[in-house]
Amino acid sequence: MKNTTDSTRYPKQAGDRHQRRSQARMMEGRIARWYTRQRASADQMAVVRRSAAELTEGLPSGADVLEVAPGPGFHAVEMARSGRFRVTGLDISHTFVEIATENARKEGVSVAFRHGEAADLPFEAESFDLIVCQAAFKNFGQPLKAIDEMHRVLRPGGTAVIQDMNGEVSGAQIHQAVKEMGISAPNALLTRVALTALRRRAYSPARFRKLVAESAFGTCVVTTEGIGVDVLLTKRATS
C-alpha cells in the first residue's frame, strides 16, 4: 500500500475542502437537531436496534467498534448498550458530537464521541475490530482516502461495513422508503426532497466496486435492499 499522503494516490480536487466545509455547515445547529428528531421516530429506532444487533453479532466481548459519521449517535449507543464492546464515534459535525454525547449520557451508555474527518481518522493503526458507516459515505470529499483510512485502523481480519443510499434507486422506491419511516406528512415531504437530491451523490454498486478495487482492501461484497446498498470490506488477516 502506498503512503496515504501520496498526492498521486489522493489527487487534490479543488472542491474537496469546500465540500468538507459545506458538509460540516449543513449538519450543524438547527439542521442537525431537526435531523435528530426525524431519526428518533419509533419505527426508525426499531430499525436502529435491529441493525446494531445484526452488525455486532459474533463479535467477541471486548471488541473495539468505530462508527464513522454516527450523527446523533443512536446506532452507536445501541451497539454499546450491552456493555460488551468499546464503541467510539467520529463525526465532522460539532453539533452531532454534542447531541450524541448527550444521548449516550441519557441512556447510561458509554460511547466515546469525537470530532474529526473520515479521510483523516485520529486513531492508531489496527485499533478496531469493526467499523460502521451509515448514510454518510456519499458526502465524503475524499472517498478513496476514507476507505484506506478504514483499512489502516482496522485490525487484521476485521471488517468495515458501509451502508448508504443506492444511487440507482427510483423515485417510487424513495417514496415507499419514506412512507415506512413513520414520520409526519410535512417531514415526509422534506425527507423525500432531501433523498431525491442526495441520490445524485450516492454510489451505485458498480461504482462502489470500482472504488474499493483501487483501495487497500482491493475487494468487497456488495448487496442491495430497498433504497440501500451495503458494502462489506474485510482486512486480510496476517499469516
Side-chain angles (χ1 to χ4, degrees), residues 32 38 51 56 59 76 80-82 111 115 131 139 152 162-163 167-168 171 184 218 226 228 230:
Q38 308 321 305
S51 172
T56 56
L59 270 183
R81 191 178 293 281
S82 69
V111 183
H115 177 261
I131 297 175
N139 300 317
R152 181 183 65 82
I162 299 172
Q163 299 177 320
E168 296 180 333
S184 67
D230 286 20

PDB file of all heavy atoms in Angstrom, residues 32 38 51 56 59 76 80-82 111 115 131 139 152 162-163 167-168 171 184 218 226 228 230:
ATOM      1  N   ALA A  32     -29.033  19.924  12.236  1.00  0.00           N
ATOM      2  CA  ALA A  32     -28.649  18.697  12.935  1.00  0.00           C
ATOM      3  C   ALA A  32     -29.714  18.286  13.947  1.00  0.00           C
ATOM      4  O   ALA A  32     -30.027  17.100  14.094  1.00  0.00           O
ATOM      5  CB  ALA A  32     -27.307  18.893  13.633  1.00  0.00           C
ATOM      6  N   GLN A  38     -36.097  13.616  13.387  1.00  0.00           N
ATOM      7  CA  GLN A  38     -36.668  12.714  12.383  1.00  0.00           C
ATOM      8  C   GLN A  38     -36.182  11.276  12.587  1.00  0.00           C
ATOM      9  O   GLN A  38     -36.915  10.325  12.365  1.00  0.00           O
ATOM     10  CB  GLN A  38     -36.313  13.179  10.957  1.00  0.00           C
ATOM     11  CG  GLN A  38     -36.648  14.633  10.657  1.00  0.00           C
ATOM     12  CD  GLN A  38     -37.954  15.080  11.272  1.00  0.00           C
ATOM     13  OE1 GLN A  38     -39.000  14.475  11.060  1.00  0.00           O
ATOM     14  NE2 GLN A  38     -37.897  16.150  12.055  1.00  0.00           N
ATOM     15  N   SER A  51     -30.444  -3.237  13.451  1.00  0.00           N
ATOM     16  CA  SER A  51     -29.177  -3.104  12.734  1.00  0.00           C
ATOM     17  C   SER A  51     -27.988  -3.258  13.666  1.00  0.00           C
ATOM     18  O   SER A  51     -27.006  -3.946  13.337  1.00  0.00           O
ATOM     19  CB  SER A  51     -29.115  -1.732  12.053  1.00  0.00           C
ATOM     20  OG  SER A  51     -27.830  -1.492  11.513  1.00  0.00           O
ATOM     21  N   THR A  56     -23.191  -6.397  15.147  1.00  0.00           N
ATOM     22  CA  THR A  56     -22.280  -6.829  16.218  1.00  0.00           C
ATOM     23  C   THR A  56     -22.408  -8.312  16.541  1.00  0.00           C
ATOM     24  O   THR A  56     -21.682  -8.815  17.396  1.00  0.00           O
ATOM     25  CB  THR A  56     -22.522  -6.008  17.502  1.00  0.00           C
ATOM     26  OG1 THR A  56     -23.895  -6.124  17.896  1.00  0.00           O
ATOM     27  CG2 THR A  56     -22.181  -4.540  17.275  1.00  0.00           C
ATOM     28  N   LEU A  59     -19.329 -10.726  17.282  1.00  0.00           N
ATOM     29  CA  LEU A  59     -18.148 -10.015  17.786  1.00  0.00           C
ATOM     30  C   LEU A  59     -17.816 -10.508  19.187  1.00  0.00           C
ATOM     31  O   LEU A  59     -18.704 -10.638  20.030  1.00  0.00           O
ATOM     32  CB  LEU A  59     -18.400  -8.511  17.850  1.00  0.00           C
ATOM     33  CG  LEU A  59     -18.073  -7.639  16.643  1.00  0.00           C
ATOM     34  CD1 LEU A  59     -18.332  -6.174  16.990  1.00  0.00           C
ATOM     35  CD2 LEU A  59     -16.635  -7.825  16.184  1.00  0.00           C
ATOM     36  N   ALA A  76     -24.697   4.000  17.473  1.00  0.00           N
ATOM     37  CA  ALA A  76     -23.542   3.724  18.325  1.00  0.00           C
ATOM     38  C   ALA A  76     -23.979   3.384  19.742  1.00  0.00           C
ATOM     39  O   ALA A  76     -23.420   2.479  20.380  1.00  0.00           O
ATOM     40  CB  ALA A  76     -22.597   4.930  18.332  1.00  0.00           C
ATOM     41  N   ALA A  80     -23.398  -0.181  21.843  1.00  0.00           N
ATOM     42  CA  ALA A  80     -22.689  -0.185  23.125  1.00  0.00           C
ATOM     43  C   ALA A  80     -23.567  -0.598  24.298  1.00  0.00           C
ATOM     44  O   ALA A  80     -23.054  -0.818  25.399  1.00  0.00           O
ATOM     45  CB  ALA A  80     -22.114   1.209  23.391  1.00  0.00           C
ATOM     46  N   ARG A  81     -24.862  -0.691  24.079  1.00  0.00           N
ATOM     47  CA  ARG A  81     -25.799  -0.865  25.193  1.00  0.00           C
ATOM     48  C   ARG A  81     -25.520  -2.119  26.024  1.00  0.00           C
ATOM     49  O   ARG A  81     -25.684  -2.112  27.244  1.00  0.00           O
ATOM     50  CB  ARG A  81     -27.242  -0.902  24.673  1.00  0.00           C
ATOM     51  CG  ARG A  81     -28.273  -0.823  25.785  1.00  0.00           C
ATOM     52  CD  ARG A  81     -29.685  -0.806  25.229  1.00  0.00           C
ATOM     53  NE  ARG A  81     -29.983   0.404  24.488  1.00  0.00           N
ATOM     54  CZ  ARG A  81     -30.302   1.574  25.059  1.00  0.00           C
ATOM     55  NH1 ARG A  81     -30.338   1.675  26.384  1.00  0.00           N
ATOM     56  NH2 ARG A  81     -30.598   2.619  24.310  1.00  0.00           N
ATOM     57  N   SER A  82     -25.092  -3.183  25.394  1.00  0.00           N
ATOM     58  CA  SER A  82     -24.846  -4.430  26.137  1.00  0.00           C
ATOM     59  C   SER A  82     -23.651  -4.331  27.070  1.00  0.00           C
ATOM     60  O   SER A  82     -23.501  -5.146  27.977  1.00  0.00           O
ATOM     61  CB  SER A  82     -24.614  -5.585  25.151  1.00  0.00           C
ATOM     62  OG  SER A  82     -23.373  -5.407  24.472  1.00  0.00           O
ATOM     63  N   VAL A 111     -20.058   5.634  25.323  1.00  0.00           N
ATOM     64  CA  VAL A 111     -19.560   5.753  23.963  1.00  0.00           C
ATOM     65  C   VAL A 111     -18.664   6.984  23.901  1.00  0.00           C
ATOM     66  O   VAL A 111     -19.036   8.046  24.409  1.00  0.00           O
ATOM     67  CB  VAL A 111     -20.695   5.906  22.926  1.00  0.00           C
ATOM     68  CG1 VAL A 111     -20.115   5.959  21.510  1.00  0.00           C
ATOM     69  CG2 VAL A 111     -21.708   4.775  23.028  1.00  0.00           C
ATOM     70  N   HIS A 115     -14.796  14.576  17.491  1.00  0.00           N
ATOM     71  CA  HIS A 115     -14.904  15.347  16.259  1.00  0.00           C
ATOM     72  C   HIS A 115     -13.731  15.011  15.344  1.00  0.00           C
ATOM     73  O   HIS A 115     -12.592  14.879  15.802  1.00  0.00           O
ATOM     74  CB  HIS A 115     -14.900  16.844  16.567  1.00  0.00           C
ATOM     75  CG  HIS A 115     -14.925  17.707  15.340  1.00  0.00           C
ATOM     76  ND1 HIS A 115     -13.790  18.292  14.815  1.00  0.00           N
ATOM     77  CD2 HIS A 115     -15.954  18.054  14.523  1.00  0.00           C
ATOM     78  CE1 HIS A 115     -14.126  18.976  13.738  1.00  0.00           C
ATOM     79  NE2 HIS A 115     -15.418  18.854  13.532  1.00  0.00           N
ATOM     80  N   ILE A 131     -15.763  -1.524  11.866  1.00  0.00           N
ATOM     81  CA  ILE A 131     -16.054  -0.129  11.532  1.00  0.00           C
ATOM     82  C   ILE A 131     -17.394  -0.096  10.805  1.00  0.00           C
ATOM     83  O   ILE A 131     -17.650  -0.899   9.913  1.00  0.00           O
ATOM     84  CB  ILE A 131     -14.960   0.483  10.644  1.00  0.00           C
ATOM     85  CG1 ILE A 131     -13.622   0.511  11.387  1.00  0.00           C
ATOM     86  CG2 ILE A 131     -15.346   1.902  10.218  1.00  0.00           C
ATOM     87  CD1 ILE A 131     -12.459   0.997  10.535  1.00  0.00           C
ATOM     88  N   ASN A 139     -21.337  11.688   1.082  1.00  0.00           N
ATOM     89  CA  ASN A 139     -20.973  13.072   1.366  1.00  0.00           C
ATOM     90  C   ASN A 139     -19.472  13.288   1.522  1.00  0.00           C
ATOM     91  O   ASN A 139     -19.031  14.431   1.677  1.00  0.00           O
ATOM     92  CB  ASN A 139     -21.667  13.540   2.654  1.00  0.00           C
ATOM     93  CG  ASN A 139     -23.175  13.478   2.546  1.00  0.00           C
ATOM     94  OD1 ASN A 139     -23.753  13.853   1.537  1.00  0.00           O
ATOM     95  ND2 ASN A 139     -23.824  12.986   3.591  1.00  0.00           N
ATOM     96  N   ARG A 152      -6.580   1.127   7.376  1.00  0.00           N
ATOM     97  CA  ARG A 152      -5.430   1.369   8.261  1.00  0.00           C
ATOM     98  C   ARG A 152      -5.769   1.112   9.724  1.00  0.00           C
ATOM     99  O   ARG A 152      -4.991   0.482  10.452  1.00  0.00           O
ATOM    100  CB  ARG A 152      -4.945   2.815   8.088  1.00  0.00           C
ATOM    101  CG  ARG A 152      -3.726   3.184   8.960  1.00  0.00           C
ATOM    102  CD  ARG A 152      -3.327   4.619   8.811  1.00  0.00           C
ATOM    103  NE  ARG A 152      -4.333   5.534   9.302  1.00  0.00           N
ATOM    104  CZ  ARG A 152      -4.483   5.862  10.597  1.00  0.00           C
ATOM    105  NH1 ARG A 152      -3.706   5.319  11.526  1.00  0.00           N
ATOM    106  NH2 ARG A 152      -5.427   6.720  10.967  1.00  0.00           N
ATOM    107  N   ILE A 162     -20.070  -0.385   5.083  1.00  0.00           N
ATOM    108  CA  ILE A 162     -20.604   0.898   4.618  1.00  0.00           C
ATOM    109  C   ILE A 162     -22.032   0.658   4.150  1.00  0.00           C
ATOM    110  O   ILE A 162     -22.276  -0.176   3.273  1.00  0.00           O
ATOM    111  CB  ILE A 162     -19.764   1.464   3.459  1.00  0.00           C
ATOM    112  CG1 ILE A 162     -18.323   1.723   3.908  1.00  0.00           C
ATOM    113  CG2 ILE A 162     -20.391   2.756   2.926  1.00  0.00           C
ATOM    114  CD1 ILE A 162     -17.387   2.102   2.773  1.00  0.00           C
ATOM    115  N   GLN A 163     -22.964   1.369   4.752  1.00  0.00           N
ATOM    116  CA  GLN A 163     -24.368   1.258   4.377  1.00  0.00           C
ATOM    117  C   GLN A 163     -24.852   2.635   3.958  1.00  0.00           C
ATOM    118  O   GLN A 163     -24.762   3.590   4.730  1.00  0.00           O
ATOM    119  CB  GLN A 163     -25.198   0.717   5.538  1.00  0.00           C
ATOM    120  CG  GLN A 163     -24.763  -0.673   5.977  1.00  0.00           C
ATOM    121  CD  GLN A 163     -25.539  -1.180   7.180  1.00  0.00           C
ATOM    122  OE1 GLN A 163     -25.831  -0.432   8.106  1.00  0.00           O
ATOM    123  NE2 GLN A 163     -25.863  -2.460   7.168  1.00  0.00           N
ATOM    124  N   GLY A 167     -27.355   4.688  -5.458  1.00  0.00           N
ATOM    125  CA  GLY A 167     -27.509   5.721  -6.472  1.00  0.00           C
ATOM    126  C   GLY A 167     -28.397   5.338  -7.634  1.00  0.00           C
ATOM    127  O   GLY A 167     -28.732   6.192  -8.460  1.00  0.00           O
ATOM    128  N   GLU A 168     -28.812   4.080  -7.711  1.00  0.00           N
ATOM    129  CA  GLU A 168     -29.644   3.616  -8.828  1.00  0.00           C
ATOM    130  C   GLU A 168     -31.128   3.512  -8.479  1.00  0.00           C
ATOM    131  O   GLU A 168     -31.924   3.060  -9.305  1.00  0.00           O
ATOM    132  CB  GLU A 168     -29.145   2.257  -9.312  1.00  0.00           C
ATOM    133  CG  GLU A 168     -27.737   2.289  -9.898  1.00  0.00           C
ATOM    134  CD  GLU A 168     -27.259   0.933 -10.374  1.00  0.00           C
ATOM    135  OE1 GLU A 168     -27.720  -0.094  -9.832  1.00  0.00           O
ATOM    136  OE2 GLU A 168     -26.419   0.904 -11.295  1.00  0.00           O
ATOM    137  N   GLY A 171     -37.575   6.991  -8.017  1.00  0.00           N
ATOM    138  CA  GLY A 171     -38.395   7.875  -7.203  1.00  0.00           C
ATOM    139  C   GLY A 171     -39.455   7.106  -6.434  1.00  0.00           C
ATOM    140  O   GLY A 171     -39.769   7.432  -5.282  1.00  0.00           O
ATOM    141  N   SER A 184     -44.270  12.406  10.183  1.00  0.00           N
ATOM    142  CA  SER A 184     -45.418  13.224   9.797  1.00  0.00           C
ATOM    143  C   SER A 184     -45.366  13.582   8.318  1.00  0.00           C
ATOM    144  O   SER A 184     -44.309  13.550   7.679  1.00  0.00           O
ATOM    145  CB  SER A 184     -45.437  14.507  10.633  1.00  0.00           C
ATOM    146  OG  SER A 184     -44.325  15.334  10.304  1.00  0.00           O
ATOM    147  N   GLY A 218      -9.027  -3.757  -1.802  1.00  0.00           N
ATOM    148  CA  GLY A 218      -8.966  -4.456  -3.080  1.00  0.00           C
ATOM    149  C   GLY A 218     -10.281  -5.049  -3.534  1.00  0.00           C
ATOM    150  O   GLY A 218     -10.650  -4.942  -4.701  1.00  0.00           O
ATOM    151  N   GLY A 226     -34.061  -2.490  -0.729  1.00  0.00           N
ATOM    152  CA  GLY A 226     -34.804  -1.244  -0.686  1.00  0.00           C
ATOM    153  C   GLY A 226     -34.045  -0.144  -1.423  1.00  0.00           C
ATOM    154  O   GLY A 226     -33.623  -0.315  -2.560  1.00  0.00           O
ATOM    155  N   GLY A 228     -31.242   1.019  -0.219  1.00  0.00           N
ATOM    156  CA  GLY A 228     -29.903   0.980   0.345  1.00  0.00           C
ATOM    157  C   GLY A 228     -28.938   0.056  -0.364  1.00  0.00           C
ATOM    158  O   GLY A 228     -29.333  -0.867  -1.085  1.00  0.00           O
ATOM    159  N   ASP A 230     -25.269  -2.080   0.735  1.00  0.00           N
ATOM    160  CA  ASP A 230     -24.359  -2.497   1.802  1.00  0.00           C
ATOM    161  C   ASP A 230     -23.048  -2.954   1.183  1.00  0.00           C
ATOM    162  O   ASP A 230     -23.050  -3.774   0.263  1.00  0.00           O
ATOM    163  CB  ASP A 230     -24.943  -3.659   2.614  1.00  0.00           C
ATOM    164  CG  ASP A 230     -26.069  -3.218   3.534  1.00  0.00           C
ATOM    165  OD1 ASP A 230     -26.651  -2.144   3.276  1.00  0.00           O
ATOM    166  OD2 ASP A 230     -26.361  -3.943   4.495  1.00  0.00           O
TER     167      ASP A 230
END
